[in-house]
Amino acid sequence: MLLDALREQLHLTGTKKGCDHGQCGACTVHIDGQSALSCLTLAVMSEGRAITTIEGLARGEELHPVQEAFVKHDAFQCGYCTPGQIMAATALVQDRQQRSAAEIREAMSGNLCRCAAYANIIAAIQEAQRA
Amino acid sequence: MHPSQYQRATDATQAVAAVAARPTAAFVAGGTSQLDLMKEGVLRPDLLVDVTPLALTTISPLDGGLRLGAGVSNTAAALHPEVQRRYAAVSEALLAGASTQIRNMASLGGNPLQRTRCPYFRDPAQPCNKREPGSGCAALGGYNRVHAIFGASDKCVATHPSDLAVALSALDARVQTTGPNGPRSIPFPELHRLPGDAPQQDTTLAHGELITSLDLPAFDGRSHYLKVRERASYAFALVSCAVALEMDGKKIRRARVALGGVAHKPWRLPAEVEAMLTGKKPGEKLFRAVADKAFAEAKPLEHNAYKIPMGRNLLVRALLETSGLQPLQGPAGTAFAASVGGVSGEVAAR
Amino acid sequence: MVENTGKPLDRVDGRLKVTGAARYSAEWDVPNLAHAAVVSSTVARGSVRALDTAAARAAPGVLAVLSHENAPRLQPLPEKVGGTLFRGEGGMTETRQPLQDTAVHYAGQPLAVVVADTLERARHAASLVRVTYAEQPPELTLKSVSQRSLPETFVGNKDEKLQVTVGDPKAALAAAPVRLERVYESAITHHNPIEPLATIARWEQRNGGEFLTLYDTSRGVENLQEVMATSLGLPKESVQVICPFIGGAFGAKGWLFAPPLLTAMAARLAGRPVKLEWRRQDMFSVAGQRAATHQTLSLGASRDGKLLALQHDTQTHASIMSGYTEPCARVSRMLYAVPNLGFSHQLAHLHLPSPCPMRGPGETVGGWALECAMDELAAELSLDPVELRLRNYADKNPETGKPWSSKHLRECYERGKALIGWDQRNPKPRAMREGNQLVGYGMATTMYPAARRPAEARATLFADGRALVQSATHELGNGAYTIFRQISADGLALPLERVRFELGDSALPAAPTSGGSATTATIGPAALEACRNVLTALKRLAIQQAQSPLHGAAEDAIEARDGRLVLKADASRGEDYAAILRRAKLPLVAATASVKPGEEREQYSFYSFGAVFVKVRVDEASGSIRLARLCAVYDVGRLMNPKTAHSQIIGGVMMGLGATLMEETQYDARTGRAVVRNLADYHVPSLADTPDITVEWLGIPDPHISELGARGIGEIGCVGTPAAITNAVYHATGQRLRSLPLTPDKLLRG
């Protein structure tokens, strides 16, 4: 699995394992620019495709606007689902559409946050999509 | 996970031959269902043939309808302007299903082939005739709140989980396949089967038969999908309903209705029940009568009798909303139209 | 001294968390690490007759197979740790040590651990282990169970008796002009933190003896160190538990010890460091759960709504090897002024996995039952639900008679009413609609005990001007790194950037298990005291230095200001901390502190309070319930960081919402196997379930809890929310639903 290859072989542990069955979103990465679940992706099937993980989002010290917004709005607590949330959110905002709170609720529902920082996640994404 | 070999398909014929030659081989595309069940130890193929290189990823016009390539992602199909405009039920069913990530990955061809969400099927330690023929059905006398009220057998009471399949059944889509015996065209309502004595067989496809496209026939009516679930999003249907309605002036020319979450396959209403609508003016009383008739033969288990009032109410509402007697709960072709109850928050209030 | 404390600062570990750099337990890069997979029991009761591991041992990459046949012998768990009773009725944890015999007490019980060089190989080999059982029929229902008990106390706490009668509730109920008796039931729920349980265990030789390092998802590193040392027969100093980040706990990851014990044993057998990451499916068997409850609430009142009697009787369950009892009367015992008060807890032992605390243990579901019964009583008396509560407002603790340390609940009700527009609603049930949905408003009181425990901390000032404060507490999303750094920076009169706070390591000064919403009140004062102590040490150093401008000054004439020690009378006379250390040729100066709550605990009753108001939309045709809005106002003392506090409270609210509307674990009633065992079937709230939330707090410091005035906030959001929602569903529909969760089937069934 791509998730295990990232975590165990490449030691890129920013991508998280929450359920290992596509039921929580913690393992979200970008595959060819779209959000996808690395726990349900065979590493061998992603050959030749562009994969971005949370580690590849910031430019050096400069955080991605979504990362900035997550910190500013405290859009997480324990931080474990956070990389997946941020990967899903960055994929969402890249089309520059201004989504309503209801649309964000629906589009981001595949990323479970048991700390339930959801209200702050909505605020962070709304800010990031304005950026 | 059972160790498995992996092979990239070079063309459809080769892929079909590779799987057909080996009873323990399987196709893989989006992987969202296949790999999930392999990790559970429910599916144990020893050869995976990756059909994504076949690039069945186009959506094209076909005899006034649309041909949806089996490799098209759920996201791409749901957001395709022609699908959204002409086959709202398809977009609604897709967008009310799973999550953004899964819709990005999952293929249209794989979607109707999802296996049941019956928890006993998904746990290799439990008896299940679908997973292990002859081991018994643990759900029958067990926890069966999410199980079938139509068409079940004493071997299996599982339901089919795909939302898309319910919409395709109501729209009388056709499934194009290529298999060991050449190509076939299957009316969608005939793709899935009832469990009977062989619940291990979800569909009428032969081993090694590959879905190449889902064809939507010409349709100039309105279609709509409604789904009830236990949380506001990212959950399988308790009950769902797809309606395809064609009008003749103020009267119904043809109405087709399929229910999800109630049977081993998308539960297309019997022709005589659908016929109750033909030539009539849409109205709540009529729809209630149809719903009563549709559920007259339902056979609930210990924990799922609620599906009868839920299904009846849903069917009535789906007909009212499709016929315009009640407003949709969100823009046609979106998850908001499909999600009964909508998302939480004041913003969702109309 | 309050430059940082109380400010809504961004989380100091935010950058680590948004870049994926925060390291969780399964993510330590330990050389030569092997991977483990578990074989679990498929039956709920009986014993293992045979365990065939030949195929597993022969599978590629397999290093060892641990089972009862070859597991190291473990000593029994300690009777008590840190004042918490572990064993016996009312005790906290599972008393049976893993893999010491063949007995099976629940389905999903670990029977063997397979260690291999890769995770895939370990999992595959585990699937090859064949187990045969001598099966017995499991006992799985409260009603028919053969083993029952009436535990005396909750986890051995003498102040928390589980069977209590004050006055004569029975007679008072019989004589009351208005009587109401209702049964409320709640389902088994699971914490399901998104980070599953995980342990890495490494054995080494150190100083001629064995040394065990554990990287474990533990919110009680000290506790776990003691449990591991006792179980393995090692001196405590030979075990170190490390956990700088926890991916959520909510009551899990604290009190059940089989996972780290299994990993340590597997590592010893394999002769290599071993990582054991549990699957989500296993979280429904080894991670603890909130047990189901069957609660009978009896209220007796006068016609004008004065409570005369309250009796709250709970039936709940634990496993065969645990005495943990969900303390459902925690709210009933203290919330209202009622002269005749009784409660009881009957515990049944079932062949199900062991329970443990879950956010708001007792309060969440027990408070739900009480606050629903109060709503029913209000309806019976045609009183406004808020008014009924005001008529029974408790000015002192009704069970103990002690005064509250600080209580401003009336203000919470008032403000909450205004926020939601309570008086604008039509109070009649089924009277409000939006589109095709019914609309309802509901409210409930919430509370949470404000605990404080003993703790230690150490503060160190370095010659380069930086400082470090340490305590073995935990970061589980509670903002511990942030608020204790804020408090420490103020305690040291240093800017935030120059202070670090370290936690999550049993080698650090002792701190209790993080739980019971007690961390702020416990660690905050310890950190402050350590800061004071290190500054005192520095003052003494300066006073002795001939060249120091503070030479010869009286200790209490000196104060710390902006990173300098200066004379109180003349701030221009002084110097920065580093100068003093450099002159003394010291790299650092350090001091510890050991603090504990004092007599105030005997004098006052410490609680937080709040009022929760909600608006729901009910789609009656489908049984779907959605929360439109939640407005809650809390009296929780002073907040250390309103930003992180807000997150913690709304997180609690959402967990309460989950318990109310959707969370439920089912076990097969015949076999005891979990049939809800993944996150597709166990619904935790998603973003789409999030209402518009307005959360406020009064911000009135508690004058007695500690010098910080801060009570805890981790759980109070979870309490109150379930009853507010349930009462709102009644207002919307006219239906009283008395069984959690309120899934669509229940509304349709009526």
Side-chain angles (χ1 to χ4, degrees), chain A residues 7-8 16 18 21 23 61 67 72 74 77-79 105 114-115 118 120, chain C residues 11 15 17-18 24 27 190-191 275 280-281 643 647 651 663 685 690:
Chain A
R7 283 173 69 81
E8 302 298 337
K16 303 302 182 193
H21 285 274
Q23 298 158 353
E61 283 300 291
Q67 291 173 311
K72 178 177 165 189
D74 207 37
Q77 291 183 56
C78 80
R105 278 180 170 92
R114 190 57 160 155
C115 301
Y118 293 133
N120 297 346
Chain C
R11 257 168 229 271
R15 193 182 181 91
K17 286 176 173 173
V18 300
Y24 298 84
E27 299 170 356
H190 277 86
H191 316 79
K275 170 155 81 178
R280 177 59 52 185
Q281 294 88 321
K643 185 180 267 193
S647 297
E663 294 184 33
T690 309

mmCIF file of all heavy atoms in Angstrom, chain A residues 7-8 16 18 21 23 61 67 72 74 77-79 105 114-115 118 120, chain C residues 11 15 17-18 24 27 190-191 275 280-281 643 647 651 663 685 690:
data_model
loop_
_atom_site.group_PDB
_atom_site.id
_atom_site.type_symbol
_atom_site.label_atom_id
_atom_site.label_comp_id
_atom_site.label_asym_id
_atom_site.label_seq_id
_atom_site.Cartn_x
_atom_site.Cartn_y
_atom_site.Cartn_z
ATOM 1 N N ARG A 7 5.080 5.542 5.013
ATOM 2 C CA ARG A 7 5.382 5.603 6.450
ATOM 3 C C ARG A 7 6.549 4.704 6.843
ATOM 4 O O ARG A 7 7.410 5.105 7.619
ATOM 5 C CB ARG A 7 4.144 5.225 7.270
ATOM 6 C CG ARG A 7 3.108 6.335 7.346
ATOM 7 C CD ARG A 7 1.828 5.872 8.004
ATOM 8 N NE ARG A 7 1.945 5.595 9.425
ATOM 9 C CZ ARG A 7 1.919 6.523 10.377
ATOM 10 N NH1 ARG A 7 1.776 7.783 10.071
ATOM 11 N NH2 ARG A 7 2.022 6.176 11.649
ATOM 12 N N GLU A 8 6.542 3.486 6.309
ATOM 13 C CA GLU A 8 7.521 2.513 6.795
ATOM 14 C C GLU A 8 8.809 2.514 5.980
ATOM 15 O O GLU A 8 9.876 2.281 6.529
ATOM 16 C CB GLU A 8 6.921 1.103 6.801
ATOM 17 C CG GLU A 8 5.659 0.960 7.647
ATOM 18 C CD GLU A 8 5.885 1.249 9.134
ATOM 19 O OE1 GLU A 8 7.033 1.144 9.598
ATOM 20 O OE2 GLU A 8 4.904 1.606 9.818
ATOM 21 N N LYS A 16 -0.993 9.938 7.717
ATOM 22 C CA LYS A 16 -1.372 9.166 8.900
ATOM 23 C C LYS A 16 -2.241 7.961 8.579
ATOM 24 O O LYS A 16 -3.025 7.968 7.636
ATOM 25 C CB LYS A 16 -2.140 10.059 9.889
ATOM 26 C CG LYS A 16 -1.378 11.299 10.333
ATOM 27 C CD LYS A 16 -0.036 10.975 10.980
ATOM 28 C CE LYS A 16 0.665 12.225 11.457
ATOM 29 N NZ LYS A 16 2.082 11.975 11.797
ATOM 30 N N GLY A 18 -5.257 6.061 10.089
ATOM 31 C CA GLY A 18 -6.304 6.150 11.097
ATOM 32 C C GLY A 18 -7.200 4.931 11.105
ATOM 33 O O GLY A 18 -7.600 4.439 12.154
ATOM 34 N N HIS A 21 -8.751 1.682 6.016
ATOM 35 C CA HIS A 21 -9.799 1.137 5.154
ATOM 36 C C HIS A 21 -10.612 2.212 4.434
ATOM 37 O O HIS A 21 -11.765 1.984 4.072
ATOM 38 C CB HIS A 21 -10.734 0.233 5.964
ATOM 39 C CG HIS A 21 -10.114 -1.094 6.294
ATOM 40 N ND1 HIS A 21 -10.159 -2.178 5.453
ATOM 41 C CD2 HIS A 21 -9.392 -1.494 7.362
ATOM 42 C CE1 HIS A 21 -9.508 -3.194 5.991
ATOM 43 N NE2 HIS A 21 -9.030 -2.815 7.166
ATOM 44 N N GLN A 23 -11.921 4.981 5.592
ATOM 45 C CA GLN A 23 -13.094 5.421 6.347
ATOM 46 C C GLN A 23 -12.833 6.651 7.214
ATOM 47 O O GLN A 23 -13.696 7.048 7.985
ATOM 48 C CB GLN A 23 -13.579 4.263 7.235
ATOM 49 C CG GLN A 23 -14.007 3.067 6.411
ATOM 50 C CD GLN A 23 -13.986 1.766 7.182
ATOM 51 O OE1 GLN A 23 -13.530 1.723 8.318
ATOM 52 N NE2 GLN A 23 -14.475 0.706 6.561
ATOM 53 N N GLU A 61 10.562 27.279 4.843
ATOM 54 C CA GLU A 61 9.964 27.768 6.084
ATOM 55 C C GLU A 61 8.564 28.324 5.850
ATOM 56 O O GLU A 61 7.827 28.556 6.787
ATOM 57 C CB GLU A 61 10.854 28.863 6.696
ATOM 58 C CG GLU A 61 12.097 28.332 7.394
ATOM 59 C CD GLU A 61 11.757 27.401 8.543
ATOM 60 O OE1 GLU A 61 11.217 27.880 9.558
ATOM 61 O OE2 GLU A 61 12.005 26.175 8.414
ATOM 62 N N GLN A 67 -2.113 25.740 5.429
ATOM 63 C CA GLN A 67 -1.443 25.429 6.704
ATOM 64 C C GLN A 67 -1.475 26.643 7.633
ATOM 65 O O GLN A 67 -1.763 26.520 8.829
ATOM 66 C CB GLN A 67 0.016 25.007 6.446
ATOM 67 C CG GLN A 67 0.128 23.648 5.750
ATOM 68 C CD GLN A 67 1.567 23.329 5.347
ATOM 69 O OE1 GLN A 67 2.246 24.158 4.746
ATOM 70 N NE2 GLN A 67 2.024 22.121 5.676
ATOM 71 N N LYS A 72 -3.828 29.535 12.357
ATOM 72 C CA LYS A 72 -4.482 30.766 12.818
ATOM 73 C C LYS A 72 -5.859 30.468 13.420
ATOM 74 O O LYS A 72 -6.243 31.062 14.427
ATOM 75 C CB LYS A 72 -4.611 31.731 11.638
ATOM 76 C CG LYS A 72 -5.303 33.023 11.982
ATOM 77 C CD LYS A 72 -5.333 33.964 10.788
ATOM 78 C CE LYS A 72 -6.345 35.082 11.042
ATOM 79 N NZ LYS A 72 -6.562 35.878 9.841
ATOM 80 N N ASP A 74 -6.888 27.598 14.629
ATOM 81 C CA ASP A 74 -6.833 26.455 15.538
ATOM 82 C C ASP A 74 -7.720 25.320 15.018
ATOM 83 O O ASP A 74 -8.556 24.782 15.756
ATOM 84 C CB ASP A 74 -7.263 26.868 16.960
ATOM 85 C CG ASP A 74 -6.613 25.976 18.013
ATOM 86 O OD1 ASP A 74 -5.448 25.598 17.823
ATOM 87 O OD2 ASP A 74 -7.279 25.645 19.015
ATOM 88 N N GLN A 77 -6.681 19.829 17.025
ATOM 89 C CA GLN A 77 -6.226 19.747 18.414
ATOM 90 C C GLN A 77 -5.077 18.745 18.515
ATOM 91 O O GLN A 77 -3.937 19.129 18.585
ATOM 92 C CB GLN A 77 -7.390 19.374 19.339
ATOM 93 C CG GLN A 77 -8.408 20.503 19.455
ATOM 94 C CD GLN A 77 -9.503 20.150 20.433
ATOM 95 O OE1 GLN A 77 -9.251 19.830 21.579
ATOM 96 N NE2 GLN A 77 -10.731 20.202 19.968
ATOM 97 N N CYS A 78 -5.429 17.449 18.457
ATOM 98 C CA CYS A 78 -4.352 16.464 18.625
ATOM 99 C C CYS A 78 -3.417 16.452 17.430
ATOM 100 O O CYS A 78 -2.271 16.059 17.552
ATOM 101 C CB CYS A 78 -4.922 15.073 18.898
ATOM 102 S SG CYS A 78 -5.492 14.176 17.438
ATOM 103 N N GLY A 79 -3.900 16.856 16.272
ATOM 104 C CA GLY A 79 -3.038 16.978 15.106
ATOM 105 C C GLY A 79 -2.925 15.735 14.252
ATOM 106 O O GLY A 79 -2.276 15.759 13.208
ATOM 107 N N ARG A 105 -18.711 21.898 4.299
ATOM 108 C CA ARG A 105 -19.145 20.783 5.163
ATOM 109 C C ARG A 105 -19.259 19.499 4.354
ATOM 110 O O ARG A 105 -18.813 18.438 4.774
ATOM 111 C CB ARG A 105 -20.510 21.101 5.772
ATOM 112 C CG ARG A 105 -20.480 21.987 7.011
ATOM 113 C CD ARG A 105 -21.905 22.203 7.505
ATOM 114 N NE ARG A 105 -21.961 22.835 8.809
ATOM 115 C CZ ARG A 105 -22.051 24.151 8.996
ATOM 116 N NH1 ARG A 105 -22.089 24.967 7.970
ATOM 117 N NH2 ARG A 105 -22.101 24.643 10.224
ATOM 118 N N ARG A 114 -11.762 13.526 15.245
ATOM 119 C CA ARG A 114 -12.449 13.130 16.469
ATOM 120 C C ARG A 114 -12.355 14.218 17.532
ATOM 121 O O ARG A 114 -13.202 14.288 18.413
ATOM 122 C CB ARG A 114 -11.856 11.801 16.965
ATOM 123 C CG ARG A 114 -12.627 11.152 18.092
ATOM 124 C CD ARG A 114 -14.077 10.879 17.747
ATOM 125 N NE ARG A 114 -14.655 9.866 18.622
ATOM 126 C CZ ARG A 114 -15.948 9.768 18.886
ATOM 127 N NH1 ARG A 114 -16.803 10.627 18.333
ATOM 128 N NH2 ARG A 114 -16.403 8.817 19.663
ATOM 129 N N CYS A 115 -11.315 15.044 17.457
ATOM 130 C CA CYS A 115 -11.292 16.223 18.339
ATOM 131 C C CYS A 115 -12.380 17.191 17.901
ATOM 132 O O CYS A 115 -12.729 18.099 18.647
ATOM 133 C CB CYS A 115 -9.941 16.918 18.277
ATOM 134 S SG CYS A 115 -8.536 15.904 18.757
ATOM 135 N N TYR A 118 -14.048 20.906 13.707
ATOM 136 C CA TYR A 118 -14.724 21.161 12.429
ATOM 137 C C TYR A 118 -15.086 22.629 12.203
ATOM 138 O O TYR A 118 -14.885 23.168 11.117
ATOM 139 C CB TYR A 118 -15.989 20.314 12.337
ATOM 140 C CG TYR A 118 -15.756 18.821 12.237
ATOM 141 C CD1 TYR A 118 -16.470 17.920 13.030
ATOM 142 C CD2 TYR A 118 -14.846 18.295 11.316
ATOM 143 C CE1 TYR A 118 -16.288 16.548 12.925
ATOM 144 C CE2 TYR A 118 -14.661 16.929 11.209
ATOM 145 C CZ TYR A 118 -15.383 16.051 12.012
ATOM 146 O OH TYR A 118 -15.208 14.699 11.901
ATOM 147 N N ASN A 120 -13.727 25.197 13.238
ATOM 148 C CA ASN A 120 -12.513 25.951 12.924
ATOM 149 C C ASN A 120 -11.943 25.564 11.559
ATOM 150 O O ASN A 120 -11.310 26.381 10.895
ATOM 151 C CB ASN A 120 -11.465 25.723 14.010
ATOM 152 C CG ASN A 120 -11.933 26.236 15.369
ATOM 153 O OD1 ASN A 120 -12.912 26.988 15.451
ATOM 154 N ND2 ASN A 120 -11.251 25.844 16.417
ATOM 155 N N ARG C 11 -1.410 27.768 18.829
ATOM 156 C CA ARG C 11 -0.736 26.608 19.414
ATOM 157 C C ARG C 11 0.760 26.621 19.099
ATOM 158 O O ARG C 11 1.124 26.774 17.928
ATOM 159 C CB ARG C 11 -1.309 25.335 18.807
ATOM 160 C CG ARG C 11 -2.258 24.599 19.669
ATOM 161 C CD ARG C 11 -2.981 23.537 18.872
ATOM 162 N NE ARG C 11 -4.396 23.674 19.158
ATOM 163 C CZ ARG C 11 -4.998 23.044 20.169
ATOM 164 N NH1 ARG C 11 -4.340 22.168 20.900
ATOM 165 N NH2 ARG C 11 -6.263 23.257 20.419
ATOM 166 N N ARG C 15 2.827 24.416 14.127
ATOM 167 C CA ARG C 15 3.643 24.229 12.934
ATOM 168 C C ARG C 15 4.026 22.758 12.742
ATOM 169 O O ARG C 15 3.963 22.220 11.638
ATOM 170 C CB ARG C 15 4.892 25.113 13.033
ATOM 171 C CG ARG C 15 5.612 25.221 11.726
ATOM 172 C CD ARG C 15 6.874 26.054 11.832
ATOM 173 N NE ARG C 15 7.472 26.100 10.513
ATOM 174 C CZ ARG C 15 7.203 27.050 9.622
ATOM 175 N NH1 ARG C 15 6.411 28.048 9.918
ATOM 176 N NH2 ARG C 15 7.735 26.989 8.410
ATOM 177 N N LYS C 17 2.369 20.255 13.734
ATOM 178 C CA LYS C 17 1.186 19.465 13.388
ATOM 179 C C LYS C 17 0.713 19.721 11.962
ATOM 180 O O LYS C 17 0.242 18.799 11.298
ATOM 181 C CB LYS C 17 0.067 19.739 14.401
ATOM 182 C CG LYS C 17 0.347 19.068 15.758
ATOM 183 C CD LYS C 17 -0.679 19.401 16.818
ATOM 184 C CE LYS C 17 -0.422 18.566 18.082
ATOM 185 N NZ LYS C 17 -1.288 18.971 19.209
ATOM 186 N N VAL C 18 0.812 20.937 11.475
ATOM 187 C CA VAL C 18 0.329 21.188 10.101
ATOM 188 C C VAL C 18 1.344 20.785 9.035
ATOM 189 O O VAL C 18 1.004 20.741 7.850
ATOM 190 C CB VAL C 18 -0.096 22.662 9.876
ATOM 191 C CG1 VAL C 18 -1.214 23.056 10.826
ATOM 192 C CG2 VAL C 18 1.081 23.619 9.964
ATOM 193 N N TYR C 24 4.217 10.855 16.368
ATOM 194 C CA TYR C 24 3.310 10.034 17.178
ATOM 195 C C TYR C 24 3.958 8.675 17.421
ATOM 196 O O TYR C 24 4.983 8.348 16.819
ATOM 197 C CB TYR C 24 1.945 9.927 16.487
ATOM 198 C CG TYR C 24 1.288 11.286 16.331
ATOM 199 C CD1 TYR C 24 1.590 12.121 15.253
ATOM 200 C CD2 TYR C 24 0.410 11.767 17.301
ATOM 201 C CE1 TYR C 24 1.026 13.385 15.128
ATOM 202 C CE2 TYR C 24 -0.156 13.030 17.188
ATOM 203 C CZ TYR C 24 0.157 13.836 16.097
ATOM 204 O OH TYR C 24 -0.397 15.081 15.992
ATOM 205 N N GLU C 27 5.670 6.254 15.000
ATOM 206 C CA GLU C 27 6.479 6.923 13.979
ATOM 207 C C GLU C 27 7.939 7.111 14.356
ATOM 208 O O GLU C 27 8.673 7.809 13.664
ATOM 209 C CB GLU C 27 5.818 8.273 13.648
ATOM 210 C CG GLU C 27 4.412 8.073 13.090
ATOM 211 C CD GLU C 27 3.593 9.351 12.964
ATOM 212 O OE1 GLU C 27 4.080 10.419 13.388
ATOM 213 O OE2 GLU C 27 2.462 9.262 12.448
ATOM 214 N N HIS C 190 -17.565 3.999 21.640
ATOM 215 C CA HIS C 190 -16.099 3.890 21.638
ATOM 216 C C HIS C 190 -15.445 5.241 21.379
ATOM 217 O O HIS C 190 -15.951 6.049 20.605
ATOM 218 C CB HIS C 190 -15.645 2.872 20.595
ATOM 219 C CG HIS C 190 -15.714 1.468 21.106
ATOM 220 N ND1 HIS C 190 -16.863 0.717 21.045
ATOM 221 C CD2 HIS C 190 -14.783 0.705 21.731
ATOM 222 C CE1 HIS C 190 -16.628 -0.476 21.606
ATOM 223 N NE2 HIS C 190 -15.375 -0.501 22.028
ATOM 224 N N HIS C 191 -14.306 5.418 22.007
ATOM 225 C CA HIS C 191 -13.591 6.699 21.902
ATOM 226 C C HIS C 191 -13.171 6.966 20.468
ATOM 227 O O HIS C 191 -13.272 8.090 20.003
ATOM 228 C CB HIS C 191 -12.332 6.670 22.768
ATOM 229 C CG HIS C 191 -12.541 6.086 24.134
ATOM 230 N ND1 HIS C 191 -12.607 4.726 24.361
ATOM 231 C CD2 HIS C 191 -12.691 6.668 25.337
ATOM 232 C CE1 HIS C 191 -12.797 4.515 25.655
ATOM 233 N NE2 HIS C 191 -12.852 5.672 26.273
ATOM 234 N N LYS C 275 7.317 -3.110 16.885
ATOM 235 C CA LYS C 275 6.212 -2.148 16.814
ATOM 236 C C LYS C 275 4.903 -2.904 16.665
ATOM 237 O O LYS C 275 4.774 -3.757 15.792
ATOM 238 C CB LYS C 275 6.411 -1.204 15.621
ATOM 239 C CG LYS C 275 5.171 -0.346 15.341
ATOM 240 C CD LYS C 275 5.496 0.944 14.628
ATOM 241 C CE LYS C 275 5.673 0.752 13.145
ATOM 242 N NZ LYS C 275 5.948 2.050 12.482
ATOM 243 N N ARG C 280 -7.867 -0.559 13.332
ATOM 244 C CA ARG C 280 -9.096 0.094 13.779
ATOM 245 C C ARG C 280 -10.075 -0.940 14.320
ATOM 246 O O ARG C 280 -10.739 -0.723 15.325
ATOM 247 C CB ARG C 280 -9.721 0.875 12.608
ATOM 248 C CG ARG C 280 -11.034 1.553 12.906
ATOM 249 C CD ARG C 280 -10.951 2.560 14.036
ATOM 250 N NE ARG C 280 -9.901 3.542 13.871
ATOM 251 C CZ ARG C 280 -9.584 4.470 14.781
ATOM 252 N NH1 ARG C 280 -10.237 4.547 15.920
ATOM 253 N NH2 ARG C 280 -8.597 5.314 14.549
ATOM 254 N N GLN C 281 -10.127 -2.097 13.676
ATOM 255 C CA GLN C 281 -11.054 -3.133 14.107
ATOM 256 C C GLN C 281 -10.783 -3.538 15.566
ATOM 257 O O GLN C 281 -11.695 -3.833 16.326
ATOM 258 C CB GLN C 281 -10.923 -4.374 13.203
ATOM 259 C CG GLN C 281 -11.348 -4.165 11.759
ATOM 260 C CD GLN C 281 -10.224 -3.656 10.865
ATOM 261 O OE1 GLN C 281 -9.423 -2.837 11.261
ATOM 262 N NE2 GLN C 281 -10.189 -4.125 9.627
ATOM 263 N N LYS C 643 -8.248 30.525 22.820
ATOM 264 C CA LYS C 643 -8.286 29.911 21.481
ATOM 265 C C LYS C 643 -8.293 28.388 21.589
ATOM 266 O O LYS C 643 -9.162 27.717 21.032
ATOM 267 C CB LYS C 643 -7.097 30.395 20.654
ATOM 268 C CG LYS C 643 -7.138 29.898 19.217
ATOM 269 C CD LYS C 643 -5.944 30.375 18.393
ATOM 270 C CE LYS C 643 -6.273 31.656 17.659
ATOM 271 N NZ LYS C 643 -5.268 31.981 16.616
ATOM 272 N N SER C 647 -11.526 25.461 21.185
ATOM 273 C CA SER C 647 -11.454 24.221 20.399
ATOM 274 C C SER C 647 -11.808 23.011 21.255
ATOM 275 O O SER C 647 -12.518 22.109 20.812
ATOM 276 C CB SER C 647 -10.048 24.036 19.831
ATOM 277 O OG SER C 647 -9.739 25.086 18.950
ATOM 278 N N GLY C 651 -15.030 20.688 20.677
ATOM 279 C CA GLY C 651 -14.757 19.264 20.462
ATOM 280 C C GLY C 651 -15.578 18.396 21.388
ATOM 281 O O GLY C 651 -16.106 17.357 20.989
ATOM 282 N N GLU C 663 -23.625 7.515 17.546
ATOM 283 C CA GLU C 663 -22.584 6.570 17.943
ATOM 284 C C GLU C 663 -23.159 5.377 18.693
ATOM 285 O O GLU C 663 -23.898 5.534 19.659
ATOM 286 C CB GLU C 663 -21.526 7.273 18.801
ATOM 287 C CG GLU C 663 -20.762 8.315 18.014
ATOM 288 C CD GLU C 663 -19.646 8.953 18.797
ATOM 289 O OE1 GLU C 663 -19.047 8.277 19.642
ATOM 290 O OE2 GLU C 663 -19.375 10.141 18.559
ATOM 291 N N PRO C 685 -19.206 11.955 14.336
ATOM 292 C CA PRO C 685 -19.687 13.100 13.562
ATOM 293 C C PRO C 685 -18.677 13.501 12.483
ATOM 294 O O PRO C 685 -17.470 13.466 12.706
ATOM 295 C CB PRO C 685 -19.825 14.211 14.612
ATOM 296 C CG PRO C 685 -20.019 13.487 15.899
ATOM 297 C CD PRO C 685 -19.200 12.231 15.782
ATOM 298 N N THR C 690 -21.719 19.261 11.658
ATOM 299 C CA THR C 690 -21.345 20.369 12.547
ATOM 300 C C THR C 690 -22.365 21.500 12.476
ATOM 301 O O THR C 690 -22.585 22.075 11.412
ATOM 302 C CB THR C 690 -19.958 20.911 12.139
ATOM 303 O OG1 THR C 690 -19.057 19.820 12.060
ATOM 304 C CG2 THR C 690 -19.463 21.927 13.152
#
